Amino acid sequence: MTKSIIIIGGGIIGLCTAYYLQKEGHQVTIIDQSNMDFGASYVNAGYLSPSHIIPLAAPGVMKKGIQWMFNPASPLFIKPRLNPDFLRWALAFNRSCSIKNVNRGISAIKDIAVLGRDLYADIKKSEDFKFHLEQKGLLMICQTQKMLDEEIRVAEIAKNQGLGVNELSSSQLQQLQPDTQISAKGAIHYQCDAHTTPHTFMEEIKSHLEASGVIIHKNEKINDVVINNNKITAIRNTSRTYTADEFVLAAGSWSNILSKKLGIKLLLEAGKGYRINSERDLGITIPAILAEAKVAITPMQGFTRFAGTMEIAGINHSINKVRVQAIANATQQYYPGVNLTTEEKNDAACGLRPVTPDGMPYIGKSAKCKNLTIATGHAMMGWSMGPSTGKLVSEIISDKKPSLDLAVYHPDRKF
């Protein structure tokens, strides 16, 4: 049965959802408050990373976050605020930093990330897209034995989940990257991972969607929702009213603002990440995460991207130069020959990633609204999980059996 569907949000989740819904024959409209050319979907590290099986909310993370609160260059920064929504999120995050949450999240994160990785390749092949996609794996580079031991433990979990991974000595690591010097104790190489250049995919899928009949409204902020009998009957902004059979909330870090109007209290915080690009040939050919510093490095199409930090400090796009410099410093610490220039650092950009208390996304329908499907809260994994989330949302709305068990992602789950 063909339905009219409005997707609120035109980032990676919204676009992939539109892609699968239009393939099912639905009439799809995307509404986004921006020009759809910046933000987390454009400045991320481009990883398709089933290796990231440990959720952000893990034992010791809150304690570490409190310690790092006083370090302006720390990888994780949680700004304390006397805001009821933030306080509820912080308490739920603290409760979620447990072994139980990690054990619950491992297979749930792995399954949706593997599906997402494979769907990128499927989309590229079936639509004859040209976007950059490579599977060279991902290196977790460690400078201390303590961190290497910790990453080896995670690698063993990944192996038990059926993921391709092996340990590298410092000499083996250097052999893999002969054109650049690496200072490291050793590394873990996840062959299961792939990488992309985000903007190449975003531009191509937007063009494809419009050519396929999907209507896209840019620079339109939805600020009112009309509800009747537990259903959305219309959404509005200052100039227009929109109606549809079904609605999808995929507005990233802004999703909980609209959900409040429906009586749905999504615990969600914006986690800011930064990126620096360098168009110089730096000899880096395999994506890597600098394990102690939590900095991601990705060889993209025509440039190398350096990304990092998780700054939970509300919705804002201000650039903290201390954090940008921390990314540059960490890079040179691991890659002594790579010195990011002042010009490159001054061109840094940021994006906001929606973070749930337990580190797993919200995907599904809330009991409080019959014709709304929520798709947000992917944190650092939004790029990896974009196509899989889009497919799952399409299956929900099309009344098909979901490709994955959705219980762990339910938006009404308790923390």
Side-chain angles (χ1 to χ4, degrees):
M1 178 183 170
T2 299
K3 300 177 181 179
S4 60
I5 301 162
I6 290 177
I7 300 169
I8 304 170
I12 182 64
I13 304 300
L15 294 184
C16 288
T17 298
Y19 173 80
Y20 286 104
L21 285 169
Q22 64 85 22
K23 284 181 76 70
E24 290 291 333
H26 299 298
Q27 298 171 356
V28 183
T29 298
I30 298 171
I31 304 174
D32 194 275
Q33 65 182 353
S34 76
N35 200 44
M36 293 174 62
D37 58 3
F38 70 95
S41 295
Y42 296 85
V43 305
N44 65 82
Y47 292 161
L48 312 181
S49 47
S51 63
H52 286 31
I53 52 177
I54 305 299
L56 179 62
V61 172
M62 179 58 89
K63 180 181 178 181
K64 194 174 290 185
I66 292 171
Q67 293 171 345
W68 279 342
M69 198 180 294
F70 305 100
N71 179 2
S74 63
L76 172 65
F77 176 69
I78 302 175
K79 181 180 179 180
R81 284 160 284 148
L82 292 176
N83 174 288
D85 292 338
F86 168 75
L87 292 174
R88 281 192 291 269
W89 179 91
L91 288 171
F93 181 78
N94 185 52
R95 286 194 295 268
S96 297
C97 289
S98 66
I99 289 293
K100 181 181 178 182
N101 185 60
V102 170
N103 291 338
R104 185 172 66 105
I106 286 171
S107 60
I109 292 172
K110 186 264 296 185
D111 290 346
I112 193 171
V114 168
L115 179 60
R117 179 201 63 192
D118 295 346
L119 287 174
Y120 272 104
D122 181 65
I123 291 170
K124 184 170 185 177
K125 182 178 179 181
S126 62
E127 305 297 348
D128 195 28
F129 280 2
K130 308 301 181 187
F131 69 89
H132 171 228
L133 172 64
E134 291 185 89
Q135 187 161 349
K136 291 183 175 180
L138 175 67
L139 297 167
M140 298 294 297
I141 300 178
C142 305
Q143 289 194 319
T144 64
Q145 189 62 50
K146 180 181 178 182
M147 181 57 73
L148 185 57
D149 290 342
E150 186 177 321
E151 291 299 334
I152 289 170
R153 286 193 291 271
V154 176
E156 287 301 317
I157 297 171
K159 285 180 184 177
N160 292 335
Q161 289 288 320
L163 299 176
V165 54
N166 66 292
E167 183 184 351
L168 302 175
S169 66
S170 58
S171 60
Q172 290 171 323
L173 173 62
Q174 192 64 70
Q175 287 170 15
L176 271 183
Q177 298 272 261
D179 296 327
T180 187
Q181 182 187 353
I182 304 176
S183 174
K185 188 79 174 178
I188 303 298
H189 188 196
Y190 287 95
Q191 298 99 331
C192 55
D193 287 14
H195 71 283
T196 62
T197 300
H199 74 268
T200 64
F201 178 78
M202 293 295 285
E203 295 306 322
E204 199 161 17
I205 195 168
K206 278 188 289 188
S207 297
H208 172 81
L209 290 173
E210 290 184 299
S212 301
V214 173
I215 298 169
I216 298 178
H217 294 290
K218 301 176 184 179
N219 301 305
E220 291 206 20
K221 183 177 181 180
I222 299 301
N223 47 32
D224 193 21
V225 182
V226 182
I227 307 162
N228 188 26
N229 291 330
N230 238 24
K231 292 181 71 175
I232 299 173
T233 56
I235 57 174
R236 298 172 179 160
N237 58 28
T238 54
S239 59
R240 297 194 193 187
T241 296
Y242 296 94
T243 60
D245 298 318
E246 294 276 348
F247 295 82
V248 178
L249 181 56
S253 296
W254 292 262
S255 297
N256 59 341
I257 297 172
L258 273 178
S259 71
K260 282 182 181 178
K261 297 179 182 295
L262 301 165
I264 302 170
K265 294 181 180 179
L266 287 182
L267 295 184
L268 202 67
E269 283 293 315
K272 188 191 298 179
Y274 296 86
R275 72 98 177 107
I276 306 169
N277 291 341
S278 175
E279 295 181 3
R280 294 175 291 141
D281 183 2
L282 302 173
I284 299 172
T285 58
I286 300 176
I289 290 180
L290 315 181
E292 290 89 351
K294 306 294 187 284
V295 168
I297 301 176
T298 316
M300 294 188 177
Q301 197 168 53
F303 61 95
T304 303
R305 174 163 290 175
F306 304 83
T309 81
M310 174 62 80
E311 182 181 324
I312 297 173
I315 292 179
N316 71 83
H317 287 91
S318 60
I319 301 293
N320 185 327
K321 291 186 177 181
V322 174
R323 295 193 169 282
V324 173
Q325 186 61 47
I327 293 172
N329 291 345
T331 298
Q332 192 166 27
Q333 184 180 344
Y334 289 73
Y335 292 85
V338 178
N339 183 16
L340 296 174
T341 68
T342 299
E343 184 180 8
E344 289 165 344
K345 289 180 287 188
N346 286 343
D347 191 46
C350 68
L352 301 177
R353 300 159 295 189
V355 183
T356 63
D358 60 2
M360 283 170 279
Y362 295 125
I363 305 172
K365 287 183 178 289
S366 169
K368 294 184 178 180
C369 190
K370 297 175 184 176
N371 64 339
L372 174 72
T373 305
I374 295 169
T376 189
H378 297 74
M380 302 91 69
M381 295 291 284
W383 192 254
S384 289
M385 299 175 179
S388 43
T389 299
K391 185 174 178 63
L392 290 167
V393 171
S394 177
E395 289 167 344
I396 292 168
I397 292 175
S398 301
D399 300 315
K400 292 188 171 183
K401 182 180 178 182
S403 298
L404 301 175
D405 183 355
L406 297 176
V408 72
Y409 315 118
H410 201 287
D412 290 341
R413 66 183 181 269
K414 304 297 181 184
F415 298 102

